[in-house]
Amino acid sequence: MGDPGVDAVIRQWAAEREQSAEDQEVNRLASAWLAEIPRGEAQAAARTPGIPAQRGGAGTAGWAPVDLADPAFVEAMRERLPEAPLDLLVAAAGWWQMVGDVEEAKAWWDAGLSPLDQRALDYRAAGLAPSDLSRRLGPLTVLEHLRRGSAPAWCVARLSRQRRDAAS
C-alpha cells in the first residue's frame, strides 16, 4: 500500500489469520488477563517476577514475589562453585530443581559434571544415571564419550547392549 502503518496492520492481520485455533485462544486469554491488571501493577509486574495474589474483598490484585530457585539448591551450588556469580547459580539451580532433588544433583556433580553444565539434564532425559558416567564403553568411560561428542542416546544403547551381553 505504500503507507508503513497500513502495511503493518495488513501484516498483523495476515499473521493472525495464519494462527491455529489454539494460538488464537492463547492470545485471547493473555489479552483478557492483561486487561484486568491496573496500569501501575502491570508495569511493576513487568519489572519483577511474581504470581498474582488472591484477590481480596476490595477486588484489587497484588503481586507476591517468588524465589526463582530453592535456596537449598543455590547453597549446594555455592559450596561447589564459590567463585560463580549468584545470578548464574540461581539460573542453574532453577533448572536442576525442576528435574530432581539436591541429592540427585550432587550425584551428577560428583560423577564429574559441573553444577552449571546443563548437558547433564539432557543426559538424564536420555536415560543415563550418574553411576553410568564412570562405566566403560571400550577404552573410554561414558563421560569421556559424552565429552568427545557422542550422543547420549548412543551411550544408553551401548550400555543396554553391554548389560544384555553380560546377562546372557
Side-chain angles (χ1 to χ4, degrees):
M1 301 293 305
D3 184 338
V6 172
D7 291 340
V9 169
I10 291 171
R11 280 192 304 276
Q12 180 182 358
W13 178 81
E16 289 174 356
R17 292 294 222 176
E18 294 173 1
Q19 290 180 345
S20 69
E22 182 177 326
D23 290 337
Q24 290 174 2
E25 181 67 10
V26 167
N27 289 336
R28 187 189 66 73
L29 290 173
S31 295
W33 180 76
L34 289 172
E36 290 179 4
I37 300 173
R39 176 173 230 110
E41 288 183 26
Q43 291 170 347
R47 287 190 307 269
T48 308
I51 56 174
Q54 290 184 350
R55 296 182 190 263
T60 60
W63 291 92
V66 175
D67 286 334
L68 298 178
D70 184 343
F73 276 86
V74 176
E75 185 56 36
M77 289 188 158
R78 170 79 57 212
E79 289 172 10
R80 292 176 187 262
L81 298 167
E83 70 287 348
L86 181 61
D87 292 347
L88 186 59
L89 294 177
V90 168
W95 284 106
W96 273 106
Q97 76 186 27
M98 284 192 281
V99 298
D101 59 11
V102 175
E103 296 307 315
E104 181 183 4
K106 286 181 180 180
W108 282 98
W109 303 335
D110 292 342
L113 290 172
S114 164
L116 302 178
D117 191 344
Q118 297 300 299
R119 290 177 297 181
L121 300 174
D122 295 333
Y123 303 159
R124 181 184 188 275
L128 291 171
S131 59
D132 293 332
L133 299 183
S134 61
R135 301 216 22 216
R136 288 205 155 301
L137 294 175
L140 302 175
T141 64
V142 171
L143 184 57
E144 290 168 332
H145 277 287
L146 292 168
R147 286 186 175 155
R148 289 181 180 215
S150 295
W154 178 84
C155 294
V156 169
R158 290 281 313 264
L159 285 171
S160 295
R161 189 170 67 196
Q162 193 178 65
R163 288 183 189 122
R164 192 175 46 238
D165 292 346
S168 53

